[in-house]
Amino acid sequence: GGGEGSGRQPREAQSLLPITIKQLLEAVQVDESFRLGAVELSQVAVVGMIIGKVETATNVTYTLSDGTGVVECKLWIDSEEQAASANRRAEWVDGVYVRAVGHARAFGGKRTLLAFRLNKVDDFNEITFHMLEVVFAHLFNTKGPLPETESQAQPAVHVKPELGKFGAAPAPTYGAAAPGGAYSPLQKEIMRLLRGETNPNGASIDNIARQLSGWGSEVEIHAAVESLASDGYVYSTIDEKHYRATD
């Protein structure tokens, strides 16, 4: 929750693609996988408002809307869920915006999102930030890097590197891991802090944001940590606000 089963063990590094719900619904299913054009959807992130909720003893199904479409998002509840996680989940009610990370699935012909991480959106800049990432990812995957950078080895495109891995060596699709596990400059600083952290509970994301305030906005730093967590380089410890490095 915020998310149940979301990070207590390092997750295998996979690509994370920001998408809209409309893109999720229109993705083409090929066997057990889904594709947007030439891009296979491994892990996806959507940001939407909760407009419905059905809770059982083992899972919660949220109905999310982002203005482009509506989709059901299922989140399994950890049988050993801690109180802090349950309290966060209690905040996810109708009218609340959340960021959901998970996998596209189809059950009975109905497209759903099977989420392993949910986070409440407290800063509405994150909604705008997500939509900008969606647009950039779509253009990058359909049209390739900007023309003036095609002859350069780095960066792949001219954007602030902490917005994602766009500043890494060119990769075939946005969201793919950078060759050799390369980090953006902001992510390198985050990893440096986490590797030097001596507290067994890890470093709080708020403390990371304070120490790296000169490297980007709080939203950008949070997004960079989320990206590192999704790729398996860091993992959450006592709650979704404390992280440790995997290595």
Side-chain angles (χ1 to χ4, degrees):
E4 277 70 25
S6 61
R8 285 158 186 80
Q9 296 296 327
R11 187 173 297 275
E12 180 183 357
Q14 300 179 43
S15 61
L16 175 65
L17 185 71
I19 61 173
T20 64
I21 291 174
K22 183 174 187 287
Q23 287 177 310
L24 176 63
L25 298 176
E26 293 181 350
V28 177
Q29 185 171 4
V30 181
D31 297 324
E32 294 300 314
S33 64
F34 296 86
R35 304 186 72 87
L36 273 178
V39 181
E40 182 174 343
L41 303 186
S42 175
Q43 296 179 5
V44 299
V46 301
V47 173
M49 184 175 70
I50 297 173
I51 61 173
K53 174 182 176 180
V54 177
E55 186 166 354
T56 70
T58 58
N59 65 79
V60 186
T61 299
Y62 300 93
T63 303
L64 302 182
S65 171
D66 68 352
T68 72
V70 176
V71 72
E72 287 187 353
C73 172
K74 177 174 285 190
L75 182 73
W76 292 99
I77 301 173
D78 190 338
S79 59
E80 298 179 357
E81 181 181 49
Q82 297 181 357
S85 181
N87 290 339
R88 282 194 303 277
R89 190 159 49 80
E91 297 179 352
W92 304 336
V93 295
D94 286 9
V96 168
Y97 278 86
V98 294
R99 182 175 188 264
V101 178
H103 304 279
R105 292 289 185 268
F107 298 105
K110 185 177 183 180
R111 197 67 54 88
T112 63
L113 178 65
L114 186 60
F116 60 80
R117 180 187 295 271
L118 237 71
N119 288 102
K120 181 182 177 184
V121 173
D122 293 313
D123 185 343
F124 285 97
N125 287 322
E126 186 173 346
I127 300 172
T128 304
F129 178 78
H130 175 77
M131 294 308 295
L132 289 172
E133 276 203 312
V134 168
V135 171
F136 185 92
H138 174 71
L139 291 175
F140 188 86
N141 286 335
T142 56
K143 300 182 182 301
L146 297 177
E148 63 267 28
T149 66
E150 289 178 342
S151 61
Q152 301 174 5
Q154 288 201 14
V157 290
H158 288 309
V159 296
K160 295 183 70 175
E162 57 265 33
L163 292 180
K165 294 181 178 172
F166 322 134
T173 59
Y174 167 79
Y183 305 119
S184 73
L186 174 60
Q187 290 174 327
K188 285 181 181 177
E189 288 301 305
I190 292 171
M191 293 302 296
R192 181 182 62 79
L193 284 180
L194 291 180
R195 284 168 176 154
E197 180 58 53
T198 57
N199 188 322
N201 292 331
S204 75
I205 197 167
D206 292 334
N207 189 39
I208 294 171
R210 281 195 297 272
Q211 292 190 60
L212 300 182
S213 59
W215 287 81
S217 70
E218 187 172 336
V219 171
E220 290 167 343
I221 291 171
H222 279 234
V225 172
E226 282 284 337
S227 176
L228 288 169
S230 295
D231 286 344
Y233 297 119
V234 305
Y235 62 98
S236 57
T237 57
I238 55 174
D239 57 31
E240 295 307 312
K241 290 185 177 293
H242 289 79
Y243 287 85
R244 285 179 61 88
T246 301
D247 51 2

